[in-house]
Amino acid sequence: MTPTVHARLTRAAPYWGPIAVGVAALCAATVVAAVDPHEAGHYPTCPSLFVTGFWCPGCGSLRALHNLAHGDVMGALGMNVLVVIAVPFLIWRWGSWLGETLGRPSQRRLAPPWAIWLLLAGIVAFTVGRNIPVLGPLLAP
Amino acid sequence: MQPNYGTPPNNYLVWAILTTILCCLPFGIVSIIKAAEVNSKWAGGDITGAYASSAAAKKWAIVSAGVSAGVIAIYFLFGVTMGVNSSF
């Protein structure tokens, strides 16, 4: 899409962005819900896993999304804990974005820095944990 | 404590999280470091630094989106049969 078209659309209807992203996300969720990623061969292997042989922090995310779409929260936690935490956060951010484009005053505040460093530490610990024998059975998909 | 210097720059944390859990690439980690830097520098009063980290976070979001698109294109070129043990 050229910047001109983008600019024109944004000016005419600023909410088209979050609406388009929301529809795309729903379509993707429908596909992942319908085409089971637990079945081998339905989706390509995670490129990081394919290249390195290690579980990356995103491995199991499609299976976790599939489980979530079917209401199986425990199953999703078993596949990828991060996804179960991230989905509500992403929906909340999407809601704020939609609200801003509908004219609600922007309330951008930055989270306290420690929160993001903690998130980083958590992701690194999760990645290490799912690749070591002790925690692997619990954290790996 | 949030010092009042106007609107803080975007830390692109949503992109960092999407990259980390969906794109399966280490770029997500770099993006989260940049996001944390934005918040740290802003909280410490380093406005110029916060904007520089924000620009870096945006750059990494674009890089990871580009690489992800490339990886998906490669999968389509070589066929998804490569993924015999679905592990995404």
Side-chain angles (χ1 to χ4, degrees):
Chain A
M1 187 178 298
T2 64
T4 340
V5 175
H6 179 272
R8 213 179 297 151
L9 269 172
T10 310
R11 219 177 303 122
Y15 46 81
W16 79 268
I19 297 289
V21 167
V23 169
L26 276 182
C27 291
T30 307
V31 170
V32 174
V35 182
D36 191 354
H38 293 270
E39 293 278 330
H42 279 177
Y43 299 90
T45 302
C46 162
S48 304
L49 179 71
F50 187 77
V51 172
T52 67
F54 289 105
W55 301 112
C56 84
C59 285
S61 54
L62 280 187
R63 279 167 285 172
L65 285 173
H66 174 87
N67 289 353
L68 278 182
H70 288 270
D72 179 10
V73 178
M74 289 315 288
L77 283 170
M79 286 299 127
N80 192 315
V81 178
L82 284 183
V83 166
V84 182
I85 301 170
V87 164
F89 172 79
L90 293 171
I91 292 173
W92 169 55
R93 294 311 307 155
W94 180 82
S96 309
W97 181 29
L98 180 66
E100 280 174 26
T101 60
L102 291 174
R104 219 187 47 173
S106 166
Q107 301 178 325
R108 190 192 290 167
R109 284 179 299 115
L110 289 181
W114 61 261
I116 302 184
W117 292 114
L118 185 70
L119 172 72
L120 177 68
I123 291 172
V124 171
F126 175 64
T127 311
V128 173
R130 63 196 337 213
N131 282 295
I132 59 175
V134 188
L135 294 170
L138 193 65
L139 298 176
Chain B
M1 272 296 287
Q2 199 67 227
N4 189 18
Y5 305 119
T7 310
N10 197 336
N11 61 11
Y12 299 98
L13 185 62
V14 165
W15 291 103
I17 289 174
L18 281 174
T19 307
T20 307
I21 65 167
L22 289 181
C23 299
C24 266
L25 291 160
F27 295 119
I29 302 294
V30 181
S31 301
I32 292 175
I33 291 173
K34 290 296 161 196
E37 276 181 15
V38 172
N39 293 32
S40 285
K41 288 176 177 174
W42 184 262
D46 179 7
I47 305 308
T48 320
Y51 274 93
S53 292
S54 174
K58 185 179 187 177
K59 186 190 78 182
W60 282 106
I62 293 170
V63 167
S64 50
V67 170
S68 306
V71 167
I72 292 168
I74 288 169
Y75 271 130
F76 272 101
L77 282 177
F78 290 90
V80 289
T81 47
M82 212 155 100
V84 279
N85 53 337
S86 170
S87 298
F88 228 116

